[in-house]
Amino acid sequence: VRFVVVAGNTQTATIEGISAAGANPAVMAHTPSADLEIVEYGRPILAPVVPVSPTGCPTPAAVTRAAIELLDVEFAAVDAGLARRTAAPTVRVGQRPGRDIRESVPVPDARDLYDAAREFGGALPDDELVVGETIPGGTTTAMGVLDALGERSGVSSSLPENPLSLKREVVAEALTTSDTAAGEMAGTPLEAVRAVGDPVLAVVAGLVVGGAESGKTVTLAGGTQLAAAAAVVRHLGVDAPLTLATTSFVTADETAAIEALAADLDLSLTVTDPAFERGNHVAMDAYLDGEAKEGVGMGGMLAVLSRRGVPMADLRDRFLAVYDRLAPESTADR
Amino acid sequence: VRFVVVAGNTQTATIEGISAAGANPAVMAHTPSADLEIVEYGRPILAPVVPVSPTGCPTPAAVTRAAIELLDVEFAAVDAGLARRTAAPTVRVGQRPGRDIRESVPVPDARDLYDAAREFGGALPDDELVVGETIPGGTTTAMGVLDALGERSGVSSSLPENPLSLKREVVAEALTTSDTAAGEMAGTPLEAVRAVGDPVLAVVAGLVVGGAESGKTVTLAGGTQLAAAAAVVRHLGVDAPLTLATTSFVTADETAAIEALAADLDLSLTVTDPAFERGNHVAMDAYLDGEAKEGVGMGGMLAVLSRRGVPMADLRDRFLAVYDRLAPESTADR
C-alpha cells in the first residue's frame, strides 16, 4: 500500500466562517504544510503552527500519523499548490494555490495538474494506492464542483455547525462569475475544476485515474472532498471500481449525505469508527462533538488499520501520544 | 536513523571525460533525479534513464536501495538544485543547478542554501542523520573547494581511470576565473563553494552543521565529495565529532587518499566492504574494476547494515534483485 496525501491551498478558505482548519487566516494558510510535516515527522518541524483548534481539537493529521506509526505503509506527499513551504518531502505537481472561486478561473492549470498527476499515479510501482487530501476550504470548492457537475452537493465541514448556507452563497456566486449554472458542466469535469474548484481536486482525480488505469486498487481516503474528486473521475467516463473510505464522523453528519453521494457515484463506501469515548480526552471529545471529522486521509488509514486487524485501542493510545507531542502542555485528564 | 540524500546538478559535469555518472551528457543530467527514484521506489518511475554504464555498472543507488530494503530507516531526499524533474518526494532547498566552475560564481546562492539546509537539519526530529549525495561531476567541484581551502585535494572518481589531470586543469581554470589561488579561501568556505563549488556541497554542509548543533549524531555517507563538505564545516569553525562512512572501493583508490584527508579534517573514518566477488555478476565485477565506487550514500548505508549485523551476503543478493529490476534483460550468469 502507498498512502498519498495531496496538499494545497485555495484562497476560498479565507472567506470568514468557511473553514475550521486553523484558528485564523494566517494560521490556516500553513495548515496543509504543517499537516504534511505531522504525517512525515510526527509533529510540525518548520511550519510555524500546530493545527489544534481553540477547543483543543487536533488536525486529523494526528490520527493519520498515529495510524502510520502502527502500520507498515509507504507514504508520498504531493504538493498540488501549497501557499507556504513545508519541510516534508513532496512530489511537486502544482505551482500555486487556487484562487477564491468567486473570482474567474481559480484553477487555470486544472488540466495540466490532472495530466501530471495521472502520469505520476500510473508510474507508481505499488499495487494499491490510498489517496487523501489536505486543503483548508476544500469542502466549499468540492461543493462548487459537485454543483457544476449536477451531482448532489451536500458537503461536510470541519466545524460542528456546518456553515452550509454560506457555502451555498459562495458557490452560487462562483457559478455566476463563471457564467454557468448547476449541472451545466456535466461531462466536462476539468472545466468545472478550473472554474469553481481547487488544485487538489485536479491532482486527486489524476492520481485516481492514473492508478486505476495501471491496474492498481485505488481507495479515496476522505469524505465529501474525495467524493467530489470521484465525481470528476466519473464525469471523465472512468468507471473503474473505487472505494471511498471515510470516518464515522462524516457519516454522522447528515448535511454530508455521504452514503447517497457514494451510491450516486458508484463508489463502495467503507466507514471506520475509531471508537473515541466521551470524557477521556479533550481531543476525542472534540471529534465526538463534530469538529474536524475527517481529512489528511484519516478514514483511509483507519480502514487499513481495521483491515489488518490492528485494535482501535492501539490507535487511540497512539493518537494521544501524537497529540501530546503536538500540544505538550495538554494532559489526558484536563 | 534518518538517511538524507542531497541531489543536484552542476554544469561542470558536462565537460567531456569528467564523469561516468551517465553514459552521455543528456543521460547524465537525469542521473541524480533517477537515483532518488531508485532509492524511493526501487527503480526509476518517471526519470527517462536507468543509470547503468555501458559496461553494466549500475549506479550506487542500486546498492543503497538494496540496503534500505533490508533496514528500517527513514529517508528524506533533498533537492539542492536538480536540472531535471524527479518523481521522488523531495525537500526543496535549492532552485537551480550549479554552473560550470570555470565560469564566475557557479553557486551564487551558496550561503542561502547553507542557511536553509542548516535550519532543516536542526529541525529534523531524529537522533542520527546519515547524509549522502548524488551530483554528477561532484568530485571535480569537490576538488575545487578542497583546493580553494588549501586542503589535500586528491579526489576519487566514478571512472576506473581517474581523469585527475583533466580535473586539475578545470579546477585551475576555475580558481583563475575567481581570481584566487589554492588556500586563499581558507576560513571562508561558503565563499569557496560560491566560487568553485556546487550546490550540493552547500546543502550537505548546512545539514551537517544544523544536525550537529542540535545534538544529533551525524555521519557523512560518501567519499571525497562528503569530505569536501566536511572541509566546509571545519573551515566554518565547527569541531563537532563527525564520521565519514565510505566504501572499500574508495579506499582502494589511491588517488583519493581518503584516509589522509579524513585525518586532516578530524573525521572518524568507517570503511565497509560489501565483499563483492569477481566472476559472479557483471555489476559486481564493475565495482571491483573501480567503476562508480561510491555515491548516493552507499558507504553510509553499508555501515548501518554492518552495525546492525545484517550479513553482507543478504546485501549482495538484494543488490542483484534491484539490478534485475533496473536492467531486466540482464541475468546473473551473463
Side-chain angles (χ1 to χ4, degrees):
Chain A
V1 175
R2 184 170 305 263
F3 175 48
V4 183
V5 173
V6 182
N9 290 85
T10 165
Q11 282 289 321
T12 312
T14 62
I15 300 170
E16 202 177 326
I18 281 276
S19 174
N24 64 55
V27 167
M28 193 155 49
H30 289 284
T31 294
S33 300
D35 278 345
L36 295 183
E37 293 183 10
I38 290 168
V39 175
E40 180 75 34
Y41 302 115
R43 58 179 171 78
I45 67 164
L46 283 181
V49 301
V50 174
V52 173
S53 81
T55 62
C57 183
T59 167
V63 181
T64 295
R65 169 69 191 190
I68 282 183
E69 291 183 5
L70 297 169
L71 289 167
D72 181 30
V73 294
E74 307 279 352
F75 170 60
V78 175
D79 179 354
L82 285 167
R84 300 287 181 265
R85 70 169 181 175
T86 180
T90 61
V91 178
R92 187 137 162 171
V93 172
Q95 306 299 323
R96 68 192 70 85
R99 287 191 284 264
D100 187 329
I101 57 172
R102 296 171 306 178
E103 295 173 32
S104 62
V105 198
V107 191
D109 51 352
R111 177 166 290 278
D112 291 343
L113 293 170
Y114 169 82
D115 287 340
R118 179 178 170 186
E119 184 186 19
F120 175 60
L124 281 168
D126 314 281
D127 295 331
E128 185 178 352
L129 300 184
V130 176
V131 184
E133 58 68 38
T134 170
I135 175 167
T139 56
T140 303
T141 45
M143 179 191 276
V145 168
L146 288 166
D147 248 9
L149 298 178
E151 298 291 345
R152 194 184 300 266
S153 66
V155 294
S156 189
S157 172
S158 55
L159 292 159
E161 292 299 319
N162 193 345
L164 261 183
S165 61
L166 173 59
K167 290 179 183 174
R168 294 217 175 280
E169 214 172 278
V170 168
V171 167
E173 193 176 334
L175 293 170
T176 302
T177 305
S178 292
D179 201 19
T180 188
E184 280 194 3
M185 287 178 167
T188 57
L190 295 175
E191 198 47 45
V193 173
R194 182 170 180 274
V196 296
D198 67 55
V200 167
L201 290 170
V203 170
V204 171
L207 279 171
V208 169
V209 172
E213 280 173 345
S214 56
K216 299 173 177 66
T217 302
V218 180
T219 298
L220 298 148
T224 41
Q225 290 165 253
L226 274 293
V232 171
V233 171
R234 293 309 189 209
H235 279 256
L236 285 166
V238 175
D239 60 3
L242 294 173
T243 299
L244 182 71
T246 194
T247 66
S248 50
F249 306 113
V250 170
T251 50
D253 179 2
E254 287 172 13
T255 59
I258 195 78
E259 290 94 342
L261 185 53
D264 290 354
L265 297 169
D266 195 20
L267 309 173
S268 331
L269 184 65
T270 300
V271 179
T272 312
D273 183 350
F276 290 173
E277 278 178 28
R278 189 170 294 280
N280 269 340
H281 193 286
V282 59
M284 294 194 186
D285 285 353
Y287 276 81
L288 291 167
D289 289 340
E291 274 197 81
K293 294 189 186 74
E294 169 64 279
V296 201
M298 175 179 166
M301 284 296 99
L302 292 178
V304 175
L305 278 177
S306 172
R307 191 175 80 191
R308 297 206 184 155
V310 179
M312 283 299 152
D314 294 1
L315 182 272
R316 293 190 295 273
D317 289 349
R318 194 61 76 114
F319 170 53
L320 296 185
V322 173
Y323 184 80
D324 284 342
R325 254 185 261 143
L326 295 182
E329 74 286 359
S330 80
T331 62
D333 58 0
R334 190 177 63 176
Chain B
V1 175
R2 185 170 303 264
F3 174 50
V4 183
V5 173
V6 182
N9 291 84
T10 166
Q11 282 290 321
T12 312
T14 62
I15 301 169
E16 201 176 326
I18 281 276
S19 175
N24 62 56
V27 167
M28 194 155 50
H30 289 284
T31 295
S33 300
D35 278 344
L36 295 183
E37 293 182 12
I38 291 167
V39 176
E40 179 74 36
Y41 302 115
R43 57 179 172 78
I45 67 165
L46 284 181
V49 301
V50 174
V52 174
S53 80
T55 61
C57 183
T59 166
V63 181
T64 295
R65 169 70 190 190
I68 281 184
E69 292 183 5
L70 298 169
L71 288 167
D72 181 29
V73 295
E74 307 280 351
F75 170 60
V78 174
D79 179 352
L82 285 166
R84 300 286 180 265
R85 70 168 180 175
T86 180
T90 60
V91 177
R92 188 138 160 170
V93 172
Q95 306 298 322
R96 69 193 69 84
R99 287 191 284 264
D100 187 327
I101 58 172
R102 296 170 305 177
E103 296 172 32
S104 62
V105 198
V107 191
D109 51 353
R111 176 165 290 277
D112 291 343
L113 293 170
Y114 169 81
D115 286 341
R118 179 178 170 186
E119 184 186 19
F120 176 60
L124 281 168
D126 313 281
D127 296 330
E128 184 177 353
L129 301 183
V130 176
V131 184
E133 59 65 39
T134 170
I135 176 168
T139 57
T140 304
T141 45
M143 179 191 276
V145 168
L146 288 166
D147 248 9
L149 297 178
E151 298 291 345
R152 191 186 302 267
S153 66
V155 294
S156 187
S157 172
S158 55
L159 293 159
E161 293 298 320
N162 194 346
L164 262 183
S165 62
L166 173 60
K167 290 179 183 176
R168 294 217 175 278
E169 214 172 279
V170 168
V171 166
E173 192 175 336
L175 293 170
T176 302
T177 305
S178 291
D179 200 20
T180 188
E184 279 195 4
M185 288 179 166
T188 57
L190 295 175
E191 198 47 46
V193 173
R194 183 169 179 273
V196 295
D198 67 56
V200 166
L201 290 170
V203 171
V204 170
L207 280 170
V208 168
V209 172
E213 280 173 344
S214 57
K216 299 173 177 67
T217 303
V218 180
T219 298
L220 298 149
T224 41
Q225 290 166 254
L226 274 293
V232 171
V233 171
R234 294 308 190 209
H235 279 255
L236 285 166
V238 175
D239 60 2
L242 294 172
T243 299
L244 182 71
T246 195
T247 66
S248 49
F249 306 113
V250 170
T251 49
D253 179 4
E254 287 172 15
T255 59
I258 194 79
E259 290 94 341
L261 184 53
D264 289 353
L265 297 169
D266 194 21
L267 309 173
S268 331
L269 184 65
T270 300
V271 179
T272 312
D273 182 350
F276 289 172
E277 278 178 27
R278 189 170 296 279
N280 269 339
H281 192 286
V282 58
M284 295 194 187
D285 286 353
Y287 276 81
L288 292 167
D289 289 340
E291 274 197 80
K293 294 190 186 73
E294 168 66 279
V296 202
M298 175 178 167
M301 284 295 99
L302 293 178
V304 175
L305 278 176
S306 172
R307 191 176 79 191
R308 295 204 185 157
V310 180
M312 283 300 153
D314 293 2
L315 182 273
R316 293 190 296 272
D317 289 349
R318 194 62 75 113
F319 169 54
L320 295 185
V322 173
Y323 183 81
D324 284 341
R325 255 184 261 143
L326 295 182
E329 73 285 1
S330 81
T331 62
D333 56 2
R334 189 177 64 177

